[in-house]
Amino acid sequence: MTTIVKIVFENDIRRIALQTENAYEHLIQEVNRIYSGRFPNGVQVRYVDDEDDCVTVTSNPELKDAFEMSDATLKLFITPKSAEEEEAEYVKVSKDGQRTAILTKQESKDGAEIVREAKVITPQEVSPPQEENVKSNFDKLETAEAEEAKAKEVAKAEEEAKAKEVAKAEEETKAKEAAKVEEKAKAKEKAQRKAEAAQKAQKQVERLVKASEKAAAKAKREAIKAQKQAEKAAKEAEKAARKAKKQFRAGLSSVFIKDLTYEDGVEVEVGTKITKTWLLKNNGKSPWTSEVYLGKLIKGKLNPVPDSEVPDLLPGKEGEVSVTLSLPTKEGKFRTPNFFLCYDGKKFGDRFWATVTASKSKSADHKLAEVPVEDKPKKSYSQVAKDSVSKTDVKKIPVKEPLGAHFVRDVNFPDNCLVAPGQAIKKTWVVKNTGPRAWPRGTKLVSLDGSTFGQDSTATIMSVVGKGEQYNLSIHLVAPLETGKHTARFQLVSPQGEKFGHKYWINIQVSKFPSNKELKSMAMEFLANKEVVDILQEEFPVVIKEIRQGKKLASIVEIVLTKRPELKKHQFVIFIRPFLQSAERFMGFQLDALVSMYSFWAMTPFSNGAIASMEEKSPKEKEKSPKEEKHAAKETPKKEIAKKSQVKEEVKEAPSRFKYEKELQHFAELGFKNLEAVKPLLLKHKGSVPMVFNELFPN
């Protein structure tokens, strides 16, 4: 077997393998081989033990002990011996003559003899020359031992004399030494307690450090998890928005109905401006919103038409689309490019155009088209042509007074309301026409500087709003994907580009993960809606059926929303739907929803028509027939006295408190108002709330 050691000579460090048997001799051989010629007077070997002492090794047993004491790789420090440290050997025999030790000796500077290595041999192994040396040394040893015995006797006598002299002094100093020892012991104990306290404090600090590191690691993991969930939710919201946009685009369509003004081929004075109006119908599945605009096709390129008016129309409704055209200064027949309704840069529906004949004739009919008709009932071009308006009347049109508008209230989405990223919003304000004249048809709501979203959104008022009238002003917006607070600011603008009235804004808080308090507030608002309550009451049998079939809450909610899509627009539904798939987060939500639905069914506080208390009497019980009243009047005083005494006895016998009042209070906290119906069940099941629930909601 071999053992690995490190040898250090000057600045050189090496690892060598030594044989376990005769390791010291093998070490000397390896050192002389590696550092040939560097140790003319021999090798000195040392190592540092566990008490930081430098120990010299001169034999195989000593090196073996060093191996056993070392926990790691043993490091040996090698230095050359000086000329004075030359070794010599001599033989020492035991008294019984059975063991002989060949000793390597060395004399120090003061002449003292130092034994460096000993080898024990038996008498049979001693050679003849050595035998003579052994006998001689044995005689010398006997003489030395005799002299040593005499010296010991003399020393013993002297010591006894001295012992008597110093005994007294020792007794005196003994008390002092005992006091010092006791004091040292106390100091040592105190130091030990301090050391233990310091060690305990250090361990506590280490535990706190580990706990903080563990908490930091956990927080980091949770942050990474939350970030991934947020990214996933954002991707899903973006995907849903793209899908909704695609579906919306696919449902857009329009069909041309007729020309309302300037029918094809009509004669108009050259160089004038006319407003061409067409009647279109939304024959698609998607409504026309403020993002639908008018475009014209020129050389294969679709360009938006400025100052054009496209109304917001629901499917199946008809609306007017107008555009201002400037006629050439020369005579002739002219045709406009093809116009289309557009959304997101793509056209849809029928094409439509205008064809006019430009001439220098100035008929009253064509001049009439230039007269503003915002405050008058709308007329078709044929009706306008029948009216006779002179040139003088046109010149006498009065100067228009300024428009006015004041904010009245928010209809929905109040300030700092919570919305989801990418959520479609239809914001509505109630505004009032406070100006001296009506708002003309074509008045728009446009975005103002300082908005953080909705900059491209506009809304057009397609009807005339008279003086003093209130109007529900709405605009379609999409919440930003970035969380935080966002603001969109708007103002009304006349068809001539004049901004007027108050400024309107919407402040929203975009959040992916509403707090429990916010979610609870939205849920209570959701449940306080009478229409919602009525729907949930109607769908309650379906919900119970799906629960009995073992379906998850997310699937049940989707079934209800498919049948009742009007519930999808509520904020609570918008926020809760993306998270219903995570069953771990909503393990208790299914039961809560079931209890809430049962509350609707049982006419609890969320319903407007709660069941009357069992103690209240029905109208039939309160009303008495004339015969009963007559019979009651004929009752003798004795019967009345008996009834009064009976009532007193019943009052005395009435229990002061229900037996399972605590369990009944639990049902009251869950929203149950008809507690009288719960009492028999609690008595039946001896106050077991789970068994009452099992009977109320059987599997």
Side-chain angles (χ1 to χ4, degrees):
M1 294 178 62
T2 59
T3 302
I4 303 298
V5 298
K6 289 183 182 178
I7 58 174
V8 181
F9 176 62
E10 294 180 349
N11 293 329
D12 186 34
I13 301 176
R14 301 195 182 193
R15 296 169 68 94
I16 64 172
L18 298 180
Q19 297 177 359
T20 307
E21 191 72 22
N22 299 326
Y24 180 77
E25 297 175 0
H26 187 205
L27 172 66
I28 300 301
Q29 292 176 3
E30 289 297 308
V31 169
N32 288 325
R33 179 182 65 79
I34 295 170
Y35 306 104
S36 178
R38 302 292 296 274
F39 306 99
N41 298 321
V43 179
Q44 190 174 46
V45 182
R46 293 186 179 89
Y47 71 93
V48 179
D49 63 5
D50 55 356
E51 297 178 352
D52 293 335
D53 294 329
C54 187
V55 181
T56 303
V57 179
T58 59
S59 63
N60 292 326
E62 291 178 354
L63 186 56
K64 186 176 180 181
D65 292 341
F67 286 156
E68 293 175 353
M69 287 188 295
S70 177
D71 296 332
T73 303
L74 182 64
K75 184 184 288 186
L76 301 174
F77 298 88
I78 308 300
T79 56
K81 286 184 178 180
S82 63
E84 297 177 355
E85 294 177 338
E86 184 178 2
E87 296 180 350
E89 290 186 355
Y90 67 95
V91 178
K92 182 177 180 180
V93 182
S94 63
K95 291 182 179 181
D96 56 3
Q98 298 300 317
R99 297 185 303 279
T100 302
I102 300 176
L103 306 176
T104 301
K105 71 177 182 177
Q106 172 191 340
E107 289 185 359
S108 63
K109 293 181 180 180
D110 57 359
E113 191 175 88
I114 302 172
V115 178
R116 305 298 293 173
E117 183 177 1
K119 183 178 180 181
V120 179
I121 60 176
T122 60
Q124 291 77 8
E125 295 176 339
V126 179
S127 60
Q130 290 176 336
E131 186 177 358
E132 294 179 1
N133 192 11
V134 168
K135 291 180 180 180
S136 176
N137 288 334
F138 183 74
D139 293 337
K140 291 179 181 180
L141 182 62
E142 286 182 347
T143 304
E145 288 178 351
E147 293 176 356
E148 183 179 359
K150 290 180 180 181
K152 285 182 178 180
E153 290 177 359
V154 174
K156 184 178 180 181
E158 292 177 354
E159 286 178 359
E160 289 177 354
K162 289 180 180 180
K164 291 179 180 180
E165 293 177 359
V166 299
K168 187 176 180 180
E170 287 179 355
E171 289 178 358
E172 293 176 356
T173 57
K174 189 174 182 180
K176 295 180 180 180
E177 290 177 356
K180 288 182 180 180
V181 170
E182 186 177 358
E183 185 177 355
K184 287 182 180 180
K186 289 181 179 180
K188 185 176 180 181
E189 185 179 357
K190 185 177 181 181
Q192 187 175 0
R193 285 198 301 270
K194 288 184 178 180
E196 290 176 354
Q199 187 177 7
K200 185 177 180 181
Q202 183 179 1
K203 288 182 178 179
Q204 188 174 3
V205 170
E206 291 175 355
R207 285 197 300 270
L208 292 174
V209 170
K210 288 182 179 179
S212 62
E213 291 176 352
K214 187 176 180 181
K218 183 178 179 181
K220 185 177 179 180
R221 289 194 303 270
E222 291 179 351
I224 293 172
K225 184 178 179 181
Q227 183 180 2
K228 289 181 179 179
Q229 289 176 347
E231 291 174 355
K232 184 179 178 182
K235 288 180 180 179
E236 290 178 354
E238 186 177 356
K239 183 178 178 182
R242 287 197 303 268
K243 184 178 179 181
K245 190 173 183 180
K246 184 177 179 181
Q247 291 176 350
F248 180 79
R249 185 187 298 114
L252 287 172
S253 182
S254 67
V255 61
F256 171 78
I257 303 299
K258 64 179 178 179
D259 294 305
L260 292 181
T261 61
Y262 298 97
E263 297 179 356
D264 289 345
V266 69
E267 187 177 351
V268 184
E269 183 180 355
V270 295
T272 60
K273 288 186 177 181
I274 64 172
T275 300
K276 174 67 177 180
T277 304
W278 299 273
L279 181 63
L280 305 179
K281 181 179 180 180
N282 182 353
N283 65 333
K285 296 182 179 179
S286 299
W288 298 354
T289 64
S290 57
E291 296 178 352
V292 176
Y293 61 92
L294 183 64
K296 60 182 177 180
L297 195 63
I298 301 177
K299 295 182 180 180
K301 185 177 181 182
L302 198 63
N303 300 312
V305 179
D307 299 330
S308 58
E309 302 172 357
V310 178
D312 293 347
L313 284 183
L314 295 174
K317 300 294 183 180
E318 296 180 357
E320 301 175 8
V321 176
S322 301
V323 65
T324 303
L325 302 174
S326 298
L327 270 67
T329 56
K330 59 181 180 179
E331 294 183 324
K333 190 174 183 178
F334 300 94
R335 184 185 185 279
T336 64
N338 290 331
F339 291 94
F340 290 92
L341 293 184
C342 308
Y343 173 78
D344 197 24
K346 295 182 180 180
K347 58 185 177 64
F348 65 89
D350 288 350
R351 61 179 180 172
F352 44 94
W353 62 88
T355 302
V356 296
T357 301
S359 67
K360 294 182 180 180
S361 62
K362 299 181 179 180
S363 64
D365 292 345
H366 305 147
K367 279 292 181 178
L368 181 62
E370 299 177 8
V371 180
V373 291
E374 299 114 347
D375 298 339
K376 299 178 181 180
K378 183 176 177 182
K379 299 180 181 181
S380 65
Y381 175 74
S382 59
Q383 290 173 323
V384 173
K386 294 178 182 178
D387 295 335
S388 106
V389 179
S390 65
K391 190 173 184 180
T392 305
D393 294 334
V394 175
K395 290 182 179 179
K396 290 183 179 179
I397 295 175
V399 178
K400 296 178 182 178
E401 295 178 341
L403 298 169
H406 278 200
F407 167 81
V408 178
R409 67 177 183 277
D410 291 301
V411 175
N412 54 11
F413 295 99
D415 287 346
N416 299 319
C417 62
L418 198 68
V419 298
Q423 179 182 338
I425 300 170
K426 184 180 180 182
K427 171 64 179 177
T428 303
W429 302 270
V430 175
V431 296
K432 184 178 181 179
N433 183 352
T434 57
R437 62 190 180 94
W439 299 346
R441 183 172 58 85
T443 299
K444 291 187 176 182
L445 185 69
V446 298
S447 177
L448 298 177
D449 294 338
S451 298
T452 58
F453 76 106
Q455 294 89 339
D456 299 330
S457 299
T458 60
T460 305
I461 300 176
M462 300 308 298
S463 61
V464 175
V465 180
K467 176 182 175 182
E469 291 183 3
Q470 290 189 357
Y471 181 78
N472 285 349
L473 184 60
S474 299
I475 189 168
H476 293 273
L477 303 168
V478 177
L481 296 178
E482 182 181 357
T483 58
K485 291 185 177 180
H486 296 274
T487 302
R489 303 173 68 247
F490 302 93
Q491 192 174 12
L492 290 172
V493 179
S494 68
Q496 289 74 30
E498 173 193 358
K499 293 182 180 179
F500 65 93
H502 286 172
K503 296 178 178 65
Y504 314 100
W505 60 83
I506 172 173
N507 295 326
I508 59 174
Q509 178 74 32
V510 180
S511 175
K512 297 176 183 176
F513 309 104
S515 65
N516 290 338
K517 184 178 179 181
E518 292 169 335
L519 196 61
K520 184 177 180 181
S521 177
M522 285 189 289
M524 296 304 295
E525 181 183 353
F526 177 71
L527 299 176
N529 190 319
K530 184 179 183 304
E531 295 179 359
V532 172
V533 172
D534 294 339
I535 291 173
L536 293 178
Q537 284 181 344
E538 292 178 10
E539 300 300 330
F540 182 73
V542 177
V543 174
I544 293 298
K545 178 182 177 182
E546 300 298 334
I547 291 175
R548 288 177 176 175
Q549 291 179 358
K551 291 188 178 180
K552 295 182 179 179
L553 181 60
S555 302
I556 298 172
V557 170
E558 291 302 323
I559 291 171
V560 174
L561 293 179
T562 302
K563 292 182 65 177
R564 299 294 187 135
E566 58 268 28
L567 296 178
K568 295 180 181 179
K569 64 182 180 180
H570 199 280
Q571 289 295 102
F572 176 68
V573 177
I574 291 172
F575 274 104
I576 207 67
R577 285 180 72 188
F579 303 104
L580 287 179
Q581 300 297 335
S582 303
E584 294 81 6
R585 296 187 181 183
F586 297 97
M587 289 300 293
F589 191 77
Q590 185 165 348
L591 181 59
D592 292 342
L594 186 58
V595 170
S596 298
M597 291 178 183
Y598 177 80
S599 298
F600 302 141
W601 177 70
M603 308 299 285
T604 56
F606 305 114
S607 175
N608 292 332
I611 291 178
S613 174
M614 292 182 68
E615 296 177 359
E616 295 179 3
K617 295 182 179 181
S618 64
K620 293 183 179 180
E621 292 175 346
K622 292 181 179 180
E623 296 178 0
K624 292 186 177 181
S625 64
K627 292 182 179 179
E628 290 176 344
E629 292 180 357
K630 186 176 181 181
H631 178 71
K634 292 181 179 180
E635 284 185 342
T636 60
K638 292 183 179 180
K639 291 184 178 181
E640 291 180 1
I641 294 170
K643 283 187 176 182
K644 289 180 180 180
S645 62
Q646 186 178 356
V647 169
K648 290 181 180 180
E649 291 176 0
E650 289 176 358
V651 170
K652 291 180 181 179
E653 294 175 358
S656 60
R657 190 173 180 180
F658 183 60
K659 183 178 181 180
Y660 302 107
E661 188 68 28
K662 185 177 179 181
E663 290 77 3
L664 189 65
Q665 182 63 28
H666 178 72
F667 282 92
E669 291 174 356
L670 288 174
F672 284 82
K673 283 292 184 182
N674 193 1
L675 298 178
E676 294 297 329
V678 180
K679 287 183 178 180
L681 297 177
L682 285 172
L683 293 172
K684 176 182 176 182
H685 297 290
K686 298 181 180 179
S688 174
V689 175
M691 294 184 69
V692 172
F693 270 108
N694 289 335
E695 184 167 345
L696 287 173
F697 312 109
N699 294 328

